[in-house]
């Protein structure tokens, strides 16, 4: 009965690991204003976002000088002053060129503005004021500068449009002052799947950071109920790492599918930048869980009684003994520290493992580098304990050796 329950708990744990990471991502990005702003702030300097903003601002500003009318009026006046009709006809043909010139001015001013600190400030402030927007995008509740309608995620660039209009007027393009208020929404993402996942996203937002705790408890219970706990630990960690790997591959495939099926009105480079930025934390978490699973499984395996683990531990002990003998020959002594380590080495090792596990659990959004750093610290501590134990054994063996030689 216990074995069956252990298998069920371990399987459930493996499945819940990526779900827990998604729950943390939804909870933190949706409800943590500072983290959300710090996540999207770099997008203001992303070339794809800047190009999309220039295009949308240019469309929203929409300066129309009516170059045809301007050229016709100028030609009529010049003809009244004696300009030959043929020259007047040639001048009238310049109407489209005047329109193009006006549009180029708009694009130039918009591009200069978007690449300035003003746009970065507007971008950051807009997202901070509209923090509820991401909640709306994921759960359908609330509304802000980012909106979702029929699967289309838009950003209100009204402040940027107004700034560009004023700069156009200041630059001498008088018609810009007469630009009416228009739709100032820039499409960032579009997918008919957004509405379908809102219910699940809302549930994940509710469970938030509690789901990882529940997952850890289920995994612990599964290991403790197993007959071979070390093997169960290796199984649950490798299983969780495998599920995370599958999820990471699925996430990459979903990205390619999404970008390949974007509607014409959505600019793929900008959409890719937004997609990658918003999901960066989730992808980092998945990679961290994968590496952590492999590392813990490897550590549990090497602590077992198999031929390879015993060979590895034996080689490490022999190396430590050689170093201890070399130190003793050169007058290096550890005194009571060595004998204390020999006696309580197992408890010391267990304490270090629990301490590092606690540090990892309390670490704010750990990464792969966090895991590797803690592993290096653990290896260093284990090496120190091995050396202390070896010197303790060497010191403890000396009186016996002396008595044997005297006999």
């Amino acid at each position: 009965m216990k074995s069956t329950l252990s298998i069920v708990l371990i399987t459930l744990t493996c499945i819940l690991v990526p779900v827990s990471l998604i729950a943390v991502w939804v909870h933190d990005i949706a409800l943590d204003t500072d983290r959300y702003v710090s996540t999207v702030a770099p997008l203001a300097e992303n070339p794809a976002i800047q190009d999309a903003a220039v295009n949308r601002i240019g469309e929203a500003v929409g300066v129309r000088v009516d170059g045809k009318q301007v050229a016709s009026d100028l030609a009529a006046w010049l003809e009244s002053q004696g300009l030959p009709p043929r020259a007047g006809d040639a001048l009238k043909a310049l109407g489209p060129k005047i329109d193009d010139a006006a549009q180029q001015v708009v694009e130039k001013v918009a591009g200069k503005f978007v690449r300035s600190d003003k746009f970065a400030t507007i971008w950051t402030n807009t997202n901070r004021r509209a923090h509820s927007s991401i909640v709306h995008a994921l759960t359908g509740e609330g509304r802000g500068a980012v909106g979702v309608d029929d699967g289309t995620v838009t950003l209100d660039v009204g402040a940027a449009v107004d700034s560009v209009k004023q700069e156009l007027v200041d630059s001498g393009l008088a018609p810009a002052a007469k630009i009416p208020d228009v739709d100032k929404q820039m499409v960032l993402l579009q997918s008919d799947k957004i509405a379908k996942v809102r219910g699940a996203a809302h549930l994940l937002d509710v469970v938030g950071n509690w789901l990882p705790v529940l997952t850890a408890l289920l995994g612990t219970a599964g290991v403790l109920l197993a007959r071979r706990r070390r093997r169960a630990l290796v199984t649950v960690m490798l299983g969780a790492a495998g599920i995370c790997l599958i999820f990471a591959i699925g996430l990459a495939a979903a990205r390619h599918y999404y970008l390949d099926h974007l509607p014409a009105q959505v600019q793929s480079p900008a959409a890719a930048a937004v997609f990658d930025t918003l999901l960066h934390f989730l992808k980092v978490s998945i990679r961290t869980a994968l590496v952590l699973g492999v590392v813990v499984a490897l550590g549990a395996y090497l602590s077992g009684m198999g031929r390879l683990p015993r060979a590895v531990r034996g080689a490490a002990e022999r190396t430590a003994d050689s170093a201890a003998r070399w130190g003793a020959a050169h007058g290096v002594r550890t005194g009571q520290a060595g004998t204390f380590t020999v006696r309580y080495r197992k408890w010391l090792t267990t304490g270090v493992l629990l301490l590092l596990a606690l540090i990892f659990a309390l670490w704010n959004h750990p990464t792969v580098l966090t895991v590797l750093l803690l592993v290096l610290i653990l290896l260093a501590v284990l090496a120190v304990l091995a050396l202390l134990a070896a010197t303790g054994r060497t010191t403890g063996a000396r009186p016996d050796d002396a008595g044997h030689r005297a006999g």
Side-chain angles (χ1 to χ4, degrees):
M1 181 63 181
K2 289 185 177 180
S3 298
T4 303
L5 182 58
S6 174
I7 294 174
V8 172
L9 292 176
I10 288 175
T11 303
L12 186 59
T13 299
C14 294
I15 296 174
L16 286 179
V17 166
V19 178
S20 300
L21 297 178
I22 295 175
V24 173
W25 172 74
V26 171
H27 180 77
D28 286 358
I29 296 298
L31 300 181
D32 190 326
T33 299
D34 292 334
R35 177 167 288 275
Y36 170 72
V37 171
S38 65
T39 298
V40 301
L43 284 173
E45 300 179 359
N46 187 287
I49 294 295
Q50 291 179 343
D51 291 341
V54 168
N55 293 336
R56 185 64 193 98
I57 292 173
E59 293 173 358
V61 171
V63 177
R64 294 294 179 265
V65 181
D66 196 355
K68 182 179 180 180
Q69 185 62 46
V70 172
S72 179
D73 293 343
L74 180 60
W77 182 82
L78 290 176
E79 287 176 358
S80 68
Q81 300 298 316
L83 183 71
R86 182 177 298 179
D89 292 339
L91 185 58
K92 293 177 182 179
L94 295 177
K97 298 294 184 181
I98 297 177
D99 286 334
D100 292 342
Q103 188 60 32
Q104 289 176 8
V105 171
V106 172
E107 292 178 357
K108 181 178 180 180
V109 173
K112 180 180 178 182
F113 173 79
V114 166
R115 290 168 178 80
S116 69
D117 294 338
K118 294 181 180 179
F119 178 72
T121 301
I122 288 177
W123 176 276
T124 300
N125 291 340
T126 299
N127 279 282
R128 182 173 291 279
R129 289 194 305 269
H131 178 236
S132 62
S133 60
I134 195 65
V135 177
H136 180 67
L138 291 177
T139 67
E141 300 176 357
R143 178 105 184 161
V146 177
V148 179
D149 292 301
D150 297 328
T152 301
V153 182
T154 58
L155 174 68
D156 188 350
V157 293
V161 171
D162 294 338
S163 297
V164 171
K165 286 168 59 176
Q166 185 59 46
E167 290 199 19
L168 288 172
V169 173
D170 296 340
S171 299
L173 195 60
K178 301 179 181 180
I179 298 172
D181 290 334
V182 293
D183 177 26
K184 302 170 184 177
Q185 304 297 323
M186 183 176 78
V187 177
L188 298 178
L189 301 171
Q190 189 169 53
S191 173
D192 58 359
K193 307 296 183 183
I194 292 179
K196 298 179 180 179
V197 302
R198 282 179 175 175
H202 180 68
L203 177 61
L204 292 174
D205 182 29
V206 172
V207 297
N209 293 327
W210 290 107
L211 189 56
V213 176
L214 176 61
T215 302
L217 292 176
L218 291 176
T220 302
V223 171
L224 293 178
L225 290 174
R227 291 182 178 178
R228 299 183 178 181
R229 294 176 179 175
R230 183 177 287 105
R231 178 176 295 183
L233 178 60
V234 172
T235 300
V236 71
M237 299 310 296
L238 289 182
I243 294 293
C244 287
L245 178 60
I246 294 174
F247 183 81
I249 295 174
L251 196 61
R255 178 185 184 276
H256 287 291
Y257 177 84
Y258 164 73
L259 295 178
D260 291 341
H261 292 78
L262 283 175
Q265 65 267 35
V266 183
Q267 299 185 48
S268 180
V274 174
F275 186 97
D276 292 339
T277 299
L278 290 179
L279 293 184
H280 175 72
F281 170 69
L282 178 59
K283 291 187 287 188
V284 169
S285 299
I286 291 295
R287 289 196 294 266
T288 303
L290 195 159
V291 173
L292 178 64
V294 173
V295 168
V296 174
L298 181 61
Y301 170 73
L302 291 177
S303 65
M305 299 305 296
R307 179 178 300 178
L308 179 60
R310 285 185 296 174
V312 172
R313 294 199 304 271
E317 291 298 319
R318 288 192 296 272
T319 302
D321 288 337
S322 297
R325 287 193 296 270
W326 181 89
H330 290 78
V332 178
R333 300 286 186 274
T334 58
Q336 294 182 354
T339 55
F340 178 85
T341 303
V342 172
R343 181 176 300 177
Y344 299 104
R345 182 179 179 183
K346 181 178 179 180
W347 291 104
L348 291 173
T349 302
T350 302
V352 170
L353 288 174
L354 293 176
L355 177 61
L356 292 179
L358 179 62
I359 292 175
F360 180 83
L362 297 178
W363 197 291
N364 187 25
H365 302 296
T367 64
V368 173
L369 291 179
T370 305
V371 176
L372 297 179
L373 174 62
L374 294 179
V375 169
L376 290 177
I377 293 175
L378 175 61
L379 293 177
V381 173
L382 292 179
V384 171
L385 291 178
L387 286 174
L388 288 174
T391 56
R393 289 193 299 269
T394 300
T395 303
R398 289 188 62 187
D400 295 337
D401 292 343
H404 177 72
R405 287 193 297 270

